[in-house]
């Protein structure tokens, strides 16, 4: 009995003194409907916010959500040791953050100024020559970002981009379709959506710092994401915001 009592005591002390899992940061870009402020500035909701909360619950990994503008997301995330990111697929290189899993896919669209005709990607080249196409800071949108033939003008938010578009300061505004729809609704610019050109598809992906790409945390997060995709959780969350 004494031996058994000692074993139980040692096991109990071990469990008491086991360090709790430390939370790791996960970066999200502040853009509706993916991550946006509600009520106070330190409270957020959105597609990616809800995905991360469910991801943390299923994986058992505490995730501290950090919602920042796109420019800060791109510069801060690579500086972290163990950190994760949900962001557009083209916004980081594999050296900055290894892609672990895809999450959601969506069309990439350009809203064209009133009175301007653009029926193909090639049309964007000449219509952008004078005023440029508004694009969120540090977001590339795939080949569009590397195409030097298209003049680009940085905008800090899509909402400001719509205001510039309506005032005649831009020839067009690019973004993911869900974000464009949300920004148009917020600014009362729905009428401008009658002149939209789809130029491709994009995706949000989960990334980790390269040195943690094969860590236990990364594997657990990927497994949880796969389960969420398989059982329809991600589509349900995404659909909730698409219908708003």
């Amino acid at each position: 009995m004494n031996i058994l009592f000692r074993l139980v005591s040692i096991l109990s002390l071990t469990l008491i003194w086991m360090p709790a899992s430390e939370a790791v940061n996960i970066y999200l870009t502040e853009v509706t409907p993916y991550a946006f402020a509600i009520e106070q500035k330190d409270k957020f909701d959105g597609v990616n916010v809800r995905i991360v909360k469910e991801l943390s619950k299923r994986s058992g990994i505490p995730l501290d959500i950090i919602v920042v503008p796109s420019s800060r997301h791109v510069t801060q995330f690579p500086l972290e040791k163990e950190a994760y990111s949900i962001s557009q697929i083209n916004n980081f290189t594999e050296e900055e953050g290894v892609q672990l899993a895809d999450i959601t896919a969506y069309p990439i669209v350009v809203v064209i100024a009133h009175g301007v005709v653009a029926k193909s990607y090639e049309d964007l080249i000449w219509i952008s020559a004078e005023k440029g196409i508004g694009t969120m800071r540090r977001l590339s949108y795939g080949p569009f970002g590397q195409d030097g033939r298209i003049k680009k003008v940085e905008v800090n938010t899509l909402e400001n981009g719509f205001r510039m578009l309506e005032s005649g300061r831009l020839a067009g505004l690019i973004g993911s379709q869900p974000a464009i729809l949300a920004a148009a609704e917020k600014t009362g610019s729905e009428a401008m959506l009658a002149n939209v050109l789809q130029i491709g598809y994009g995706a949000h992906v989960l990334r980790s710092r390269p040195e943690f790409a094969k860590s236990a945390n990364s594997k657990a997060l990927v497994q949880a994401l796969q389960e969420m995709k398989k059982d329809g959780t991600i589509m349900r969350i995404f659909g909730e915001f698409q219908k708003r």
Side-chain angles (χ1 to χ4, degrees):
M1 289 294 293
N2 288 338
I3 294 174
L4 179 61
F5 178 78
R6 287 181 182 178
L7 287 173
V8 171
S9 299
I10 292 170
L11 179 59
S12 299
L13 286 172
T14 302
L15 291 174
I16 291 171
W17 288 102
M18 278 181 65
S21 298
E22 293 186 5
V24 293
N25 291 339
I26 184 162
Y27 284 87
L28 307 178
T29 295
E30 185 174 6
V31 58
T32 307
Y34 302 110
F36 54 88
I38 54 173
E39 299 173 7
Q40 298 130 356
K41 193 65 179 173
D42 59 345
K43 292 185 178 180
F44 293 89
D45 194 10
V47 174
N48 289 338
V49 172
R50 294 188 186 185
I51 287 174
V52 169
K53 288 180 178 178
E54 180 65 21
L55 184 57
S56 180
K57 186 190 305 181
R58 295 206 188 192
S59 65
I61 299 170
L63 296 171
D64 281 342
I65 299 173
I66 300 178
V67 181
V68 291
S70 59
S71 56
R72 285 178 57 195
H73 186 161
V74 173
T75 55
Q76 284 182 227
F77 166 65
L79 301 178
E80 289 273 5
K81 289 188 177 179
E82 182 169 16
Y84 297 85
S85 165
I86 291 180
S87 54
Q88 290 194 32
I89 192 169
N90 301 108
N91 291 345
F92 293 102
T93 65
E94 289 293 301
E95 288 73 29
E96 294 170 324
V98 176
Q99 183 179 330
L100 299 178
D102 62 307
I103 299 174
T104 53
Y106 43 76
I108 298 294
V109 299
V110 180
V111 184
I112 310 298
H114 284 309
V116 178
V117 177
K119 296 183 178 181
S120 68
Y121 180 87
E122 294 299 316
D123 291 341
L124 294 181
I125 299 170
W126 67 266
I127 71 166
S128 74
E130 183 180 350
K131 299 176 181 178
I133 306 295
T135 179
M136 287 274 286
R137 292 177 180 174
R138 300 297 296 271
L139 300 189
S140 64
Y141 302 106
F144 174 91
Q146 286 75 49
D147 194 334
R149 300 172 299 169
I150 298 177
K151 180 181 177 181
K152 306 168 190 70
V153 176
E154 285 191 348
V155 297
N156 56 352
T157 67
L158 290 176
E159 289 80 8
N160 283 344
F162 267 108
R163 296 183 188 101
M164 293 171 68
L165 191 61
E166 289 193 283
S167 66
R169 295 161 59 193
L170 292 174
L173 177 67
I174 189 171
S176 72
Q177 186 183 58
I180 286 289
L181 293 175
E185 183 179 358
K186 288 175 71 174
T187 57
S189 307
E190 291 96 330
M192 301 202 73
L193 300 180
N195 197 10
V196 172
L197 174 68
Q198 181 177 329
I199 64 169
Y201 286 89
H204 273 130
V205 299
L206 176 71
R207 290 186 181 275
S208 76
R209 294 292 302 119
E211 58 268 37
F212 292 95
K214 296 182 180 180
S215 70
N217 279 350
S218 291
K219 291 177 181 177
L221 291 173
V222 170
Q223 181 178 345
L225 267 178
Q226 289 173 343
E227 292 172 358
M228 290 167 63
K229 291 181 73 174
K230 187 176 180 179
D231 67 20
T233 298
I234 290 179
M235 287 302 297
R236 175 181 56 77
I237 293 173
F238 196 68
E240 288 171 358
F241 282 88
Q242 287 286 80
K243 296 173 183 177
R244 294 173 67 172

